[in-house]
Amino acid sequence: MLKNIIKMGLQSIEEVFTFNRDYEAKVAETADHIRAQLGSLRPEFGITLGSGLGDIADAIEDATTISYADIPNFLVPTVEGHEGNLIFGNLEGIPVIGLSGRTHYYEYGDLPFNYGMLRTTFAVNVLADLGIANYFVTNAAGGLNQKFKVGDMMVLHSHIHNQPNPLLGEHRQFKRVDNGERVERFPPVSPTYDPELRKVLHAAGQEHRDHLHQGVYMGVTGPTYEAEAEARSFRDNADAVGMSTTGEVIVARGRGMRAVGMSCITNEISASGDNPANHDEVKRILESPEVRQRLTSTVQEFFRLYRAS
Ligand code: HPA
C-alpha cells in the first residue's frame, strides 16, 4: 500500500518535471496536431471564452469542434461550469480559434517546477506557435469599482499579475509571432492591452454603453474570494478582481501577440470590502440570458468592426 502511494507520488512528480523540461516540445507537438486539422484556415485571433462566453462558440461559422480530451497535452478543466472544447472557424468573417474552457492556476498551483503557471498558459503558447497574431481574453470578475454593477462589462486597460510569473526559470527557446525573434529574457508587456484593439472593443460595446466600463484587472490565485481588507487594498489599484487572464496575457505579449480583454462583472464588492460571492452565484449571473446576450453581441460586434477597419 505505502509502496504504491510512494510510486504514484514519484510518477506524478516525474510528470510535472518532464512537462517543465520538455515544455517547448510539448507546445510544438500540440500546435502541430491542431495545425494538421485547420486545413486552409489561418486564424487571426485566439479567443479564450471564459465562463458565460460559451455562446460565442455557437456564433463561429463553418466550425470544427475538438474536445480537449482529444488534443495531446491539453487537460480537461476540472471545474464544473468550464467546458473543454477548441472550436475553429470564422467569426463575423474573421478566422479564429475559440478556447471554450481554460486551466486556472488554482487547479495546479500546488505542484512544483512552476507547473501551475505553465499549465495555465499552455494554450496561449500553442496559439503563438500557430502564428496567431492576436489574443482576445475574457473572464468573470468581482467588481471593486463602486460604479460597477453585476452584469456589467469592463474593457481591460491594464492588469496587476498577483500570481507567479509564467516565465520564471529557464529562458526558453520560444519565438515571437510578430518578428520571428526569440522571446526576450526580460520581455516588456507594456502596452499590455493593445490601444487600437481596445478602442475597437469599446466601440463594439456602445449598444450597451450603460453597462460598459474600462479598468484595471487584478489577477489573483484564488480559489478563495477576497477578505474585506484584501478587497479594500486591491480597490486602491484595480477595478475588478479575478482568478485568470494575467498570466495568459504575459505569455501572449512576451511572444509578440497583441492582446485585448473583457471582464464580465459577476458580483459587487462593497465599500467595506464585503465579498459574499460564491461560485454558485457567479455561475448564476453567467447563465443569465440577458448578460450572456450582452457579452456575446459585444464580442460579435468587435469582430464586425475589426473586419471593417
Ligand atoms: N474575486 C475573485 N475572483 C472572482 C470574483 C471575485 O470577487 N468574482 C468572480 N471571480
Side-chain angles (χ1 to χ4, degrees):
M1 170 80 170
L2 188 61
K3 228 165 104 186
N4 280 347
I5 291 173
I6 291 170
K7 207 166 138 207
M8 258 170 55
L10 288 178
Q11 254 173 16
S12 54
I13 287 289
E14 193 187 349
E15 219 176 282
V16 297
F17 172 74
T18 53
F19 189 77
N20 181 315
R21 188 193 59 195
D22 305 336
Y23 194 61
E24 291 99 320
K26 284 185 188 291
V27 169
E29 179 190 21
T30 305
D32 286 346
H33 180 89
I34 295 167
R35 193 182 293 107
Q37 306 194 41
L38 287 176
S40 59
L41 195 80
R42 295 282 171 275
E44 284 180 43
F45 273 83
I47 317 169
T48 293
L49 303 169
S51 350
L53 267 295
D55 296 348
I56 286 290
D58 301 330
I60 298 179
E61 292 173 348
D62 316 313
T64 303
T65 300
I66 316 174
S67 164
Y68 285 179
D70 296 327
I71 302 176
N73 308 313
F74 262 45
L75 294 177
V76 178
T78 61
V79 184
E80 197 204 331
H82 294 278
E83 285 175 67
N85 284 319
L86 181 149
I87 308 110
F88 60 82
N90 292 296
L91 187 51
E92 303 298 330
I94 302 294
V96 300
I97 289 185
L99 295 163
S100 189
R102 58 152 56 92
T103 298
H104 295 82
Y105 180 68
Y106 57 72
E107 293 173 80
Y108 300 100
D110 58 327
L111 294 174
F113 307 115
N114 211 19
Y115 184 79
M117 238 31 242
L118 293 182
R119 266 291 168 207
T120 304
T121 54
F122 187 79
V124 179
N125 268 313
V126 171
L127 297 175
D129 262 28
L130 288 168
I132 299 177
N134 304 287
Y135 181 53
F136 194 143
V137 64
T138 66
N139 59 55
L144 295 163
N145 187 315
Q146 296 296 282
K147 293 196 182 111
F148 292 7
K149 299 279 171 269
V150 166
D152 283 358
M153 303 179 290
M154 181 183 88
V155 177
L156 272 64
H157 196 275
S158 188
H159 74 212
I160 298 170
H161 182 60
N162 216 344
Q163 303 171 13
N165 195 294
L167 307 187
L168 288 175
E170 180 198 340
H171 183 205
R172 302 193 183 269
Q173 297 296 330
F174 287 124
K175 296 274 194 309
R176 290 178 64 97
V177 176
D178 51 353
N179 59 15
E181 286 173 15
R182 186 176 174 192
V183 171
E184 293 166 74
R185 174 72 277 199
F186 303 103
V189 292
S190 167
T192 312
Y193 298 88
D194 185 78
E196 285 302 313
L197 295 180
R198 246 167 47 203
K199 247 191 246 165
V200 177
L201 184 52
H202 219 265
Q206 283 312 301
E207 192 194 328
H208 311 286
R209 72 179 77 83
D210 296 344
H211 297 279
L212 183 70
H213 310 278
Q214 179 155 244
V216 173
Y217 174 94
M218 166 84 78
V220 294
T221 66
T224 41
Y225 293 104
E226 290 63 42
E228 294 87 344
E230 287 170 331
R232 289 196 301 266
S233 116
F234 291 169
R235 184 178 296 121
D236 288 342
N237 303 296
D239 299 284
V241 54
M243 305 176 194
S244 67
T245 298
T246 50
E248 299 162 19
V249 169
I250 287 173
V251 166
R253 294 294 297 128
R255 296 206 59 181
M257 301 170 85
R258 298 194 298 173
V260 61
M262 183 171 84
S263 293
C264 171
I265 304 302
T266 53
N267 50 291
E268 293 164 27
I269 301 173
S270 72
S272 65
D274 285 353
N275 184 9
N278 60 62
H279 188 55
D280 289 340
E281 188 191 337
V282 167
K283 267 197 332 201
R284 191 166 49 75
I285 300 303
L286 295 168
E287 279 160 11
S288 138
E290 188 194 341
V291 171
R292 291 182 82 104
Q293 198 276 338
R294 188 178 295 149
L295 297 170
T296 304
S297 66
T298 301
V299 175
Q300 278 184 287
E301 181 65 8
F302 170 89
F303 283 97
R304 263 180 239 127
L305 294 179
Y306 174 80
R307 191 176 179 204
S309 68

